[in-house]
Amino acid sequence: MTSGPKADPGRFFEDFRLGETIRHATPRSVGNGERALYIALTGSRFALSSADSFAQRLGLPGAPLDDILVFNVVFGRSVPDVSLNAIANLGYAEARFGAAVFEGDTLTASSEVIGLKENSNRETGVVYVRTTGINQRGETVLAFVRWVMVRKRDRGAPAPETVVPNLAPTVAAEELSLPAGIDLKGYDAGLAGGPHLWDDYRPGETIDHVDGMTIEESCHMTATRLYQNTARVHFNQHAESGGRFGRRIVYGGHVISLARALSFNGLANAFRIAAINGGRHVNPCFAGDTVYAWSAVTDKTALPGRQDAGALRLKTVATKNRPCGDYPAEGPDLVLELDYTVVLPRR
Amino acid sequence: MTSGPKADPGRFFEDFRLGETIRHATPRSVGNGERALYIALTGSRFALSSADSFAQRLGLPGAPLDDILVFNVVFGRSVPDVSLNAIANLGYAEARFGAAVFEGDTLTASSEVIGLKENSNRETGVVYVRTTGINQRGETVLAFVRWVMVRKRDRGAPAPETVVPNLAPTVAAEELSLPAGIDLKGYDAGLAGGPHLWDDYRPGETIDHVDGMTIEESCHMTATRLYQNTARVHFNQHAESGGRFGRRIVYGGHVISLARALSFNGLANAFRIAAINGGRHVNPCFAGDTVYAWSAVTDKTALPGRQDAGALRLKTVATKNRPCGDYPAEGPDLVLELDYTVVLPRR
Amino acid sequence: MTSGPKADPGRFFEDFRLGETIRHATPRSVGNGERALYIALTGSRFALSSADSFAQRLGLPGAPLDDILVFNVVFGRSVPDVSLNAIANLGYAEARFGAAVFEGDTLTASSEVIGLKENSNRETGVVYVRTTGINQRGETVLAFVRWVMVRKRDRGAPAPETVVPNLAPTVAAEELSLPAGIDLKGYDAGLAGGPHLWDDYRPGETIDHVDGMTIEESCHMTATRLYQNTARVHFNQHAESGGRFGRRIVYGGHVISLARALSFNGLANAFRIAAINGGRHVNPCFAGDTVYAWSAVTDKTALPGRQDAGALRLKTVATKNRPCGDYPAEGPDLVLELDYTVVLPRR
């Protein structure tokens, strides 16, 4: 008996071709189960994604799924093709959230290779992809760029021409979108959990989100499996016990989920993430770590054509095992820096 | 940069005013995901909340959500306003379950401050609230009184006039309600899992529920987040490692869930919790503890106007790491005493 | 006060009668919550049970629930009656999957006692049951035989006549069924995640599924509770700490789920499990173990009357803490041998 080459070893650096579009597998319907699990795994409390009646009062058909849940589901599609042999997820840019995702929608994704750069050690390279998630009607729900360091299968494989994409430092206000049909006139801030609207924030302001959430192995693995993300470092203690850290690494998208959920305390009315301008997993998180977060308002802009909502650019920093009352900006405790744009109702 | 006062520190004792009604945040739609997660986190097996077809045979539109799931969701709404700075959840009374909750319903809650009593140490006080949960049609799904010991922000703050509400020792039979339209003629006890109907129980009878359920950190945190309960003691090991117990405390409502789920073995046909007359978390539970339970039938009453169902008043006692074959009534192993009223079909 | 005999101690060996049919309790509606939880607990990625749009393109009303989820739910119904006092789940045979299960269906189950054999130690016996799960329309969704070793209550109870059923070594091709109405013309293998169709596999071929999944206490308990399986060995650390292994045993059906989910890598288009010919939990699994799996194609048959699909008979072996690159067939690391039949699209 011989083994057929049926199992997929994942792509190595030399398998990526500039300009190719990779169609990802496993279409995914997302529904009430995903919504409930996301709340149960993160503690998210944003009213718009928690209650149909709240969303319907604003003109939507029901509660849209949390934007970071959508991010994680789209990201999950791309993992078997893009990052199964990745050493590190280096960064994000140009993430634009599009059509809102509702219960019953089915998401699929594809990625275009937009940059390649072999590292000088010839053992790894950086792959830049633009991943696009669409719903069953073909509407884009999210597109984002990420770059990952990927192993080469063969050190001797020739290096591709180096192409590093020119990425926008921020998603422009014209490209920020809200769920179709939403009208914030009826927005009930008291019911959403905080009195502060767009008008009440100012650039330079910092907010300690106060609370901390401890991560358990079961919680981060369950969240990551929910997204059908298959990256081995999150799941296989037997292999990781001999790996770089001796243990499983928490999927960075789960840390983003926790930071966003914690940010409710101070940003309760930031009902929509419209863009991720940039992001970096500064240090890895492990089971047993407690995640804290703080945010700085780095910019504030009106939204073209809308009097009912405005955008805030935020930098949210998450730490492990370190409260954020003093707004730490560096150090080994930092796990996440996320530069993103949220939308809040205006007075 | 200075910090804006955007994050909510929670109310301290001196922030509560007798007679005020606090409208709680985060409306919550509950659906199939919550039902499945509740079963997966507790092991609940009551047929009425497990199967649409079982409920439809009794005249309901579908399976109502488990009463304790509803309790925990309504309770969860109240935590950020009532008990974020609570030291202890002291007791429950006068809990009446109203309209059944079905998949797709949205729950909101408010609490009226009905009592205040500063403690003699001047550092804490007891707050009594009556919390009411309603559905999207404004129907009350649950109202209950609880009292909690809350820290003062400022020891020197003046004490309010002491008002301790006069609470009924039991919810009267006239106030017990069943899901609207339910008709128990078609109730299939065999399918529900036990031969014993209301007629078969007698006051004074005790039932050992036999089974035990071990609590893991991930399980109790996932359950508590499912309810969007934000009390810090359940989630933050980093902070709790320096706290009173050195570890996270299991949310008492999860212990109630487990005790109710365990009680299936002996009370399989107690399809409805109609009231909680009183309850006390006798000792805290921690991850690693195994919960057992036993129940005593303390009273038995007909339901006004119904020949198809009757009520049993129960005292269910839950213990940790101690089987209940000898019906323990006191000691450091006790974690819960719950005095409540269930409804069973009659022959 | 005396205890009424209300709690169910479960059946002992001498309580089973040859030929009797036991109607199991707790009808169960399965929906979007179960689907999402199953993915989150196992990491399953088969497209057909992941996406409504994928299933609809093949003529189905929506995504059917994963076959092993259905197996575990039906199995769970039978535990309180069949295996509460079981020492070991010895084997499976003649499992035929019938009507596909969709969100909103309600499953009930019954078991016929088809064999009894007291062991020579007179303390235990083997019970053979054929368990049948049906949906709310009375259609069989699954029928299977399992045999378990069950304790006697009373060593002196007389032995029943020994009857060992004559079990088919394999489910015949004529008995394999597909979801009603499915037409695989529109099957999109690229979207499903692998290029290999029925035509590409050959008997004798072996496939290493590469990945490993570490089991946590919380994960296996949550999965097992999801199925309302009440077997004590999975849940009660307090009791098990004095038991055979000193710890909780992972439910064997969860190991089957993990092995099936891992098998996606190499068998992505095996969209349907049509039969389980035999199965054995070779060794127990515990929290902390990492499950790996490999499969051998043991047979390949056309399906009567279908040009669009064919069947593969597989032997999938799961191990603990041992990668399967060398296709281990025996040893203390083996946890599962499953002989089953899957269906794949044909070219």
Side-chain angles (χ1 to χ4, degrees):
Chain A
M1 284 198 288
T2 63
S3 173
K6 297 292 198 304
D8 182 2
R11 279 162 205 255
F12 291 84
F13 179 68
E14 59 265 47
D15 300 326
F16 291 91
R17 295 285 167 266
L18 191 72
E20 77 172 321
T21 293
I22 305 166
R23 187 174 169 241
H24 303 307
T26 316
R28 173 67 174 276
S29 295
V30 287
N32 187 267
E34 278 77 9
R35 192 187 55 73
L37 263 165
Y38 190 78
I39 290 173
L41 292 166
T42 68
S44 177
R45 292 186 281 150
F46 292 96
L48 186 65
S49 52
S50 179
D52 289 327
S53 60
F54 191 90
Q56 287 160 353
R57 189 169 162 185
L58 304 180
L60 301 181
L65 295 185
D66 189 284
D67 296 309
I68 298 298
L69 168 56
V70 171
F71 171 82
N72 283 323
V73 169
V74 172
F75 186 107
R77 306 305 90 192
S78 75
V79 168
D81 294 314
V82 173
S83 50
L84 210 59
N85 297 304
I87 296 165
N89 202 25
L90 298 173
Y92 307 104
E94 296 188 4
R96 295 175 189 83
F97 290 83
V101 177
F102 296 99
E103 295 185 9
D105 283 354
T106 297
L107 304 184
T108 54
S110 61
S111 295
E112 184 188 356
V113 179
I114 60 168
L116 291 171
K117 180 178 183 303
E118 187 172 279
N119 287 324
S120 55
N121 62 13
R122 304 218 56 192
E123 292 179 351
T124 57
V126 178
V127 178
Y128 296 78
V129 293
R130 187 182 305 277
T131 298
T132 302
I134 61 170
N135 65 20
Q136 70 281 8
R137 288 180 299 277
E139 299 161 341
T140 297
V141 300
L142 171 66
F144 66 98
V145 172
R146 68 165 168 141
W147 52 108
V148 292
M149 192 189 299
V150 178
R151 282 192 191 81
K152 289 177 74 177
R153 185 189 294 104
D154 170 13
R155 195 175 185 281
E161 187 191 0
T162 293
V163 174
V164 173
N166 193 9
L167 298 171
T170 178
V171 176
E174 295 74 36
E175 298 178 290
L176 305 177
S177 84
L178 290 185
I182 199 169
D183 177 347
L184 296 158
K185 267 201 316 283
Y187 187 91
D188 184 339
L191 192 56
H196 307 296
L197 301 184
W198 180 76
D199 314 75
D200 304 319
Y201 292 85
R202 57 181 175 71
E205 180 172 357
T206 53
I207 304 159
D208 173 18
H209 301 306
V210 180
D211 304 309
M213 179 62 68
T214 303
I215 299 174
E216 299 292 325
E217 297 283 13
S218 175
C219 294
H220 79 81
M221 293 205 304
T222 301
T224 309
R225 284 183 301 233
L226 178 64
Y227 314 132
Q228 296 173 310
N229 177 329
T230 58
R232 290 159 191 162
V233 293
H234 310 314
F235 299 115
N236 186 330
Q237 181 58 41
H238 180 253
E240 292 308 312
S241 64
R244 194 159 36 139
F245 300 105
R247 48 194 165 150
R248 287 161 277 177
I249 301 170
V250 173
Y251 162 50
H254 186 54
V255 177
I256 296 177
S257 293
L258 294 180
R260 166 71 171 159
L262 291 169
S263 80
F264 179 89
N265 197 350
L267 288 160
N269 293 314
F271 66 89
R272 166 76 166 175
I273 296 182
I276 298 175
N277 304 299
R280 201 163 66 91
H281 299 292
V282 188
N283 285 292
C285 255
F286 304 102
D289 286 341
T290 299
V291 172
Y292 293 89
W294 67 275
S295 297
V297 179
T298 56
D299 200 4
K300 184 175 173 175
T301 48
L303 283 175
R306 296 204 76 119
Q307 298 302 316
D308 60 345
L312 296 181
R313 187 173 176 183
L314 301 174
K315 183 179 82 167
T316 290
V317 172
T319 61
K320 54 181 177 183
N321 311 317
R322 185 193 199 293
C324 291
D326 61 349
Y327 313 107
E330 52 185 29
D333 308 324
L334 256 62
V335 293
L336 174 72
E337 279 178 5
L338 197 68
D339 172 353
Y340 60 116
T341 303
V342 295
V343 180
L344 291 86
R346 293 175 67 165
R347 291 196 189 287
Chain B
M1 285 198 289
T2 64
S3 173
K6 297 292 197 305
D8 183 1
R11 278 161 206 255
F12 290 84
F13 180 67
E14 59 264 47
D15 299 325
F16 291 92
R17 295 283 167 267
L18 191 73
E20 76 172 321
T21 293
I22 305 167
R23 188 176 170 238
H24 302 307
T26 315
R28 173 67 173 275
S29 294
V30 287
N32 187 266
E34 279 77 9
R35 192 187 54 73
L37 263 166
Y38 190 78
I39 289 172
L41 292 166
T42 68
S44 178
R45 292 186 282 149
F46 292 96
L48 186 65
S49 53
S50 180
D52 289 327
S53 60
F54 191 92
Q56 287 160 353
R57 190 168 162 187
L58 305 180
L60 301 182
L65 296 185
D66 189 284
D67 296 310
I68 298 298
L69 168 55
V70 171
F71 172 81
N72 282 323
V73 170
V74 172
F75 186 107
R77 306 305 91 191
S78 76
V79 167
D81 294 314
V82 172
S83 49
L84 210 59
N85 297 305
I87 296 165
N89 202 25
L90 298 172
Y92 307 103
E94 296 188 3
R96 295 175 188 86
F97 289 83
V101 176
F102 297 100
E103 294 184 10
D105 283 354
T106 298
L107 305 183
T108 53
S110 60
S111 294
E112 185 188 356
V113 179
I114 62 169
L116 290 169
K117 181 177 182 305
E118 187 173 281
N119 287 325
S120 55
N121 64 12
R122 304 219 56 194
E123 293 179 350
T124 58
V126 178
V127 178
Y128 297 78
V129 293
R130 186 182 306 275
T131 297
T132 302
I134 62 169
N135 65 20
Q136 71 280 10
R137 289 181 299 278
E139 298 161 343
T140 297
V141 300
L142 171 65
F144 66 98
V145 172
R146 70 166 168 142
W147 51 107
V148 292
M149 192 187 300
V150 179
R151 282 192 190 82
K152 289 177 74 177
R153 184 189 294 105
D154 171 13
R155 195 175 186 279
E161 186 191 0
T162 293
V163 173
V164 173
N166 193 10
L167 298 170
T170 179
V171 176
E174 296 74 36
E175 298 177 290
L176 306 176
S177 83
L178 290 185
I182 200 169
D183 177 347
L184 296 159
K185 268 201 315 283
Y187 187 93
D188 183 339
L191 192 56
H196 308 296
L197 301 185
W198 179 77
D199 314 76
D200 304 318
Y201 293 85
R202 59 181 174 69
E205 179 172 356
T206 54
I207 304 159
D208 173 17
H209 301 305
V210 180
D211 304 309
M213 179 62 69
T214 303
I215 299 173
E216 300 293 325
E217 297 283 13
S218 175
C219 294
H220 79 81
M221 292 205 303
T222 300
T224 309
R225 284 184 300 232
L226 178 65
Y227 315 132
Q228 296 171 311
N229 178 330
T230 58
R232 291 160 190 163
V233 293
H234 310 314
F235 299 114
N236 186 330
Q237 182 57 39
H238 180 253
E240 292 308 311
S241 64
R244 194 158 38 137
F245 299 105
R247 47 195 167 150
R248 286 160 278 177
I249 301 169
V250 174
Y251 162 51
H254 185 55
V255 177
I256 296 177
S257 293
L258 294 180
R260 166 69 171 160
L262 292 168
S263 80
F264 179 89
N265 198 348
L267 288 160
N269 292 314
F271 67 88
R272 165 76 167 175
I273 297 183
I276 298 175
N277 305 298
R280 201 161 65 91
H281 299 292
V282 187
N283 285 293
C285 256
F286 303 101
D289 285 341
T290 300
V291 172
Y292 293 89
W294 67 276
S295 296
V297 179
T298 57
D299 200 5
K300 183 174 173 174
T301 49
L303 283 175
R306 296 204 75 119
Q307 297 302 315
D308 60 344
L312 296 181
R313 187 173 176 183
L314 301 174
K315 183 179 82 168
T316 289
V317 172
T319 61
K320 55 181 176 183
N321 311 318
R322 185 191 198 296
C324 290
D326 61 349
Y327 313 106
E330 53 185 29
D333 308 324
L334 257 62
V335 294
L336 175 72
E337 280 178 5
L338 196 69
D339 173 354
Y340 61 116
T341 303
V342 296
V343 181
L344 291 86
R346 293 174 67 165
R347 293 193 187 286
Chain C
M1 285 199 287
T2 65
S3 174
K6 298 292 198 303
D8 183 2
R11 278 162 206 255
F12 291 86
F13 179 69
E14 59 265 47
D15 299 325
F16 291 91
R17 295 285 167 267
L18 191 72
E20 77 172 319
T21 293
I22 305 167
R23 188 175 170 241
H24 303 307
T26 315
R28 173 68 173 275
S29 294
V30 287
N32 187 267
E34 278 77 10
R35 192 187 55 72
L37 263 165
Y38 189 77
I39 290 173
L41 292 165
T42 68
S44 178
R45 292 186 282 150
F46 292 96
L48 186 65
S49 53
S50 181
D52 289 327
S53 61
F54 191 92
Q56 287 160 353
R57 189 169 162 186
L58 305 180
L60 302 182
L65 296 185
D66 188 283
D67 296 310
I68 299 298
L69 168 55
V70 171
F71 172 81
N72 283 324
V73 169
V74 172
F75 186 107
R77 305 306 90 192
S78 75
V79 168
D81 293 315
V82 172
S83 50
L84 209 60
N85 297 304
I87 295 165
N89 202 26
L90 299 172
Y92 307 104
E94 295 188 5
R96 294 175 190 85
F97 288 83
V101 176
F102 297 99
E103 295 184 9
D105 283 354
T106 298
L107 305 182
T108 55
S110 60
S111 296
E112 184 187 355
V113 180
I114 61 169
L116 290 170
K117 179 177 183 306
E118 188 172 280
N119 287 325
S120 55
N121 62 13
R122 306 219 54 193
E123 292 179 351
T124 57
V126 178
V127 178
Y128 296 78
V129 294
R130 186 181 306 276
T131 298
T132 302
I134 62 169
N135 65 20
Q136 71 280 9
R137 289 180 298 278
E139 299 162 342
T140 297
V141 300
L142 171 66
F144 66 99
V145 172
R146 70 165 167 141
W147 51 107
V148 292
M149 192 188 301
V150 178
R151 282 193 189 82
K152 290 177 72 177
R153 184 189 294 104
D154 171 12
R155 194 175 186 282
E161 187 191 359
T162 292
V163 174
V164 173
N166 193 9
L167 297 171
T170 177
V171 176
E174 296 73 38
E175 298 178 291
L176 305 176
S177 83
L178 290 185
I182 199 169
D183 177 347
L184 295 159
K185 266 200 317 283
Y187 188 92
D188 183 339
L191 192 56
H196 308 296
L197 301 185
W198 179 77
D199 313 75
D200 305 318
Y201 293 84
R202 58 180 175 71
E205 179 172 356
T206 53
I207 304 159
D208 173 18
H209 301 306
V210 180
D211 304 309
M213 180 60 70
T214 303
I215 300 174
E216 299 293 323
E217 297 283 13
S218 175
C219 293
H220 79 81
M221 293 206 303
T222 300
T224 310
R225 284 183 301 232
L226 178 65
Y227 314 132
Q228 296 172 311
N229 177 329
T230 58
R232 289 160 192 163
V233 292
H234 310 313
F235 300 114
N236 186 331
Q237 182 57 40
H238 180 252
E240 292 308 311
S241 64
R244 192 159 38 136
F245 299 105
R247 47 195 166 150
R248 287 160 277 177
I249 302 170
V250 174
Y251 162 52
H254 185 55
V255 177
I256 296 176
S257 294
L258 294 181
R260 165 70 171 159
L262 292 169
S263 79
F264 178 88
N265 197 351
L267 288 161
N269 293 314
F271 67 88
R272 165 76 166 175
I273 297 183
I276 298 174
N277 305 299
R280 202 162 65 90
H281 299 291
V282 188
N283 285 293
C285 256
F286 304 101
D289 285 342
T290 299
V291 172
Y292 293 89
W294 68 275
S295 297
V297 179
T298 58
D299 200 5
K300 183 174 172 176
T301 48
L303 283 175
R306 295 204 76 119
Q307 297 303 314
D308 60 344
L312 297 182
R313 188 173 176 182
L314 301 174
K315 183 179 83 167
T316 290
V317 172
T319 61
K320 54 180 178 184
N321 310 317
R322 185 192 199 294
C324 290
D326 60 349
Y327 312 106
E330 52 186 29
D333 308 324
L334 256 61
V335 294
L336 175 72
E337 279 179 7
L338 197 68
D339 172 353
Y340 61 116
T341 303
V342 295
V343 181
L344 291 85
R346 292 174 68 166
R347 292 195 188 285

